[in-house]
Every structure is written in structure tokens, then in C-alpha cells.
Amino acid sequence: FLLEGEFHFESVVAMVKYLMACRLVPEMVVVGISDTDRLRDLTRVHSGDEANPSGGGEKFIQFLEDELIPFAEENYPVLPYRTFVGHSLGGLMVTHTLMNHSHLFDNYLALDPSLSWGIKRVQPLPPRGAYRPPASPAGTGHYIPERELFRAD
């Protein structure tokens, strides 16, 4: 499941096809997700600016859980083994989903997540090393660039 599919779908599909051709990964289906309002859908808290539509991330996650994932699993030849991928604000949403809704996906790939977005309005990041990813029988990898954890606004 790839956030901001309208921007990243073609390049990710090309990489997946190459990796499948080299037999480095099993066959897979890439589900590109286009959000209707990036700032609203990919952030979990409102910025405090009434003109800003941010803070609809929980509704977006509910849409994924209640509608999109069941639709994909009922209509396409997919296994119930899911990977969630996002870049920038998409990476922020992937990180939030991992930390608060980890049951939804088996793998999480947050590429250069905008972790500093809303940090003054939400809460400080936990101390280094405080977060431990949930255990997964298949093994789960997580990538959060060190520079992002300590970037100043």
C-alpha cells in the first residue's frame, strides 16, 4: 500500500517489477493510494490554523482499515501480508500508523518522514532509543533517518 500513489506509483512499480524479475522478492501487487487532500489526510493533528485543513489522518486510517484494505483483499489476488510505504508527509503517516495502529500492516517503510511536522503542537519526540518496533514473526524493518529525528523547525 503506497501513499501518494499519484506521484510514486510508476517508479515503485518499476522497482518492484525489476526485483521480481531478479527473483529477489515474491510476486506482489502495489496498491497506489491517492489522497484527496495531502495535508488533511496525512497528518494526525490540526495545525491550529483554521485555513489549514490538516489533522484528518485518523479518518484516513479508518478509511484504509474499513474500506480500502478489504476492497483490495476481496478483488485482487493478494495475500493478507501488507506493507505500508510513504515519503515525507506520507512517511509521517506511516510512522503514526506503525506506532498507533500496528495491526494494520506487517511492514512499514517510512522514507524521509516529516517527523518535525506539528512537533510544537503535539508533543516532543521520545528520547533516542525509547521506541521499540512491535515484534513480528516475519520480521519488520523500519527506516527513519537520524537527521529527521533531531531536525529543527
Side-chain angles (χ1 to χ4, degrees), residues 40-45 54-66 93 96-97 99-101 104:
R40 180 196 65 207
D41 293 341
L42 302 180
T43 58
R44 68 181 187 94
V45 295
S54 58
E58 283 298 320
K59 287 183 182 179
F60 190 72
I61 292 169
Q62 205 62 47
F63 160 75
L64 295 177
E65 184 171 18
D66 295 344
M93 179 52 62
H96 170 71
T97 305
M99 296 178 85
N100 296 283
H101 305 278
L104 287 178

Side-chain angles (χ1 to χ4, degrees), residues 122-133:
V122 186
Q123 60 189 10
L125 290 171
R128 183 189 304 230
Y131 172 70
R132 297 285 181 251

Side-chain angles (χ1 to χ4, degrees), residues 96-153:
H96 170 71
T97 305
L98 168 65
M99 296 178 85
N100 296 283
H101 305 278
S102 61
H103 66 281
L104 287 178
F105 298 92
D106 300 287
N107 292 298
Y108 292 82
L109 184 55
L111 303 169
D112 198 16
S114 298
L115 297 178
S116 61
W117 189 94
I119 202 161
K120 293 180 178 131
R121 294 173 288 276
V122 186
Q123 60 189 10
L125 290 171
R128 183 189 304 230
Y131 172 70
R132 297 285 181 251
S136 169
T140 304
H142 315 281
Y143 173 68
I144 300 173
E146 185 76 12
R147 65 178 172 77
E148 187 67 34
L149 289 174
F150 301 101
R151 187 176 77 188
D153 282 342

Side-chain angles (χ1 to χ4, degrees), residues 12-127:
V12 169
V13 167
M15 286 184 273
V16 167
K17 283 182 177 180
Y18 175 77
L19 293 170
M20 289 185 332
C22 294
R23 300 181 192 268
L24 296 172
V25 299
E27 285 189 30
M28 62 182 74
V29 173
V30 177
V31 178
I33 305 168
S34 296
D35 51 84
T36 58
D37 187 314
R38 182 175 187 264
L39 193 57
R40 180 196 65 207
D41 293 341
L42 302 180
T43 58
R44 68 181 187 94
V45 295
H46 192 275
S47 69
D49 177 0
E50 291 307 315
N52 183 327
S54 58
E58 283 298 320
K59 287 183 182 179
F60 190 72
I61 292 169
Q62 205 62 47
F63 160 75
L64 295 177
E65 184 171 18
D66 295 344
E67 297 180 44
L68 185 61
I69 292 171
F71 178 85
E73 291 181 351
E74 290 168 12
N75 293 284
Y76 296 94
V78 297
L79 298 173
Y81 185 83
R82 307 178 201 121
T83 299
F84 197 30
V85 181
H87 171 261
S88 189
L89 283 180
L92 176 66
M93 179 52 62
V94 167
T95 303
H96 170 71
T97 305
L98 168 65
M99 296 178 85
N100 296 283
H101 305 278
S102 61
H103 66 281
L104 287 178
F105 298 92
D106 300 287
N107 292 298
Y108 292 82
L109 184 55
L111 303 169
D112 198 16
S114 298
L115 297 178
S116 61
W117 189 94
I119 202 161
K120 293 180 178 131
R121 294 173 288 276
V122 186
Q123 60 189 10
L125 290 171

